[in-house]
Amino acid sequence: MPQAVIMPTPNQPLELRDYAMPEIEIGAVLLKTLGSEVCGTDVHLWHGRLAGVPYPIIPGHVSVGTIAETGGEVRDVDGRVLAEGDIVTFLDVYGSCGRCWYCTVAKATTRCPQRKVYGITLPADEGLLGGWADYIYLRPGVQVISLPESLPWKTFLAAGCGIPTALHAVSLGEIQFGDTVLVQGSGPVGLNAAILAQLRGAGQVIVIGAPARRLETATLLGADAVLDISMLDEQERREAVLSLTHGRGADVTIEATGVAAAVPEGMRLTRDAGRYIVVGQYTNAGEATFNPHLHLNQKHLDIRGCWGSDTSHFYRAVQVLARYHHQFAWRDMISGHYHLHEAQQALEDVAAQKVVKALILPSSPSS
Ligand SMILES: [Zn+2]
Ligand SMILES: [Zn+2]
């Protein structure tokens, strides 16, 4: 009998629940889970910091599995017919309608009011709709992306949901060859942004973050300079960035911190007429103040908000990983493996930043 981890309500211990094997509708896919990631969003879910979550839920929004069964002929995003045993991932966002104003006119499907997210906004009572489970039920219409043979599935999970998110932000950043890119935050989104900035031709990548262990990872992944926010105050950080940029500031800054005060700081650390992408304020971290004359208008700053990702970001992230995983050690980001019954520990370790990336592995806890 398949088991799944249940998050009953915020701040309560996780539980295991038995499920019956689901009936497969036409167009649906049953995945046998290979692994699912634990990310900062799962910690936010546990702390009750996301609005509109239909607890109890099965957490786990970025996952990999093998096809166990399909309801008739089902195709991946490339149009290839899926077969039993294929190793695939899927876009966690499901049900964007393709008909509403946001989907069709604004072409901003991440703002579609119909969208649901596996592991976040689908209730556990409706089935195996999250990744921390032996099996995952992909409803008809879920976008399935096959992993290329050259891409080990654990490497994909190591990059996790941080990579499509960072890919979206870095794309919005429109980095030019030789630009100095400043990344605020050294969690999975920030680390992936530091890698993708290099792939977009950055001349220099600076990462501001903490703790030291994550900054060491940033350096291993190619960051040219790292600034430890626990050692340097805001004035010292500013002096360090200015000294690395001929007194101008970064050409493009990507905020991936989740701390509201980081936003006005990032505006000041970006050069005049530079670009600032805010991707880290995924949950409501409160207010921040800035001087609209000095730090926006006169500065001629281009600020872009970036929320969530769509199939294109997910698909492109898979292709980038397949091509570049020998060059950038995404796999080294994994520092914890947990079985389903250890999910509570995984959550607490991620919350305490003891690990950069934790994986829930239903069938092989020690591999
Ligand atoms: Zn829509
Ligand atoms: Zn995530």
Side-chain angles (χ1 to χ4, degrees), residues 37 39 41 61 161:
E37 74 162 334
C39 94
T41 300
H61 46 280
C161 71

Side-chain angles (χ1 to χ4, degrees), residues 14-34:
L14 303 178
E15 299 161 4
L16 282 178
R17 185 189 286 183
D18 291 329
Y19 278 80
M21 286 302 275
E23 302 249 330
I24 315 296
E25 303 157 85
I26 293 296
V29 173
L30 184 66
L31 285 189
K32 177 144 182 39
T33 313
L34 287 167

Side-chain angles (χ1 to χ4, degrees), residues 95-104 108-109 111-115:
S96 302
C97 74
R99 293 184 303 280
C100 73
W101 189 89
Y102 281 105
C103 282
T104 57
T109 60
R111 301 311 304 142
C112 175
Q114 303 296 325
R115 77 198 280 282

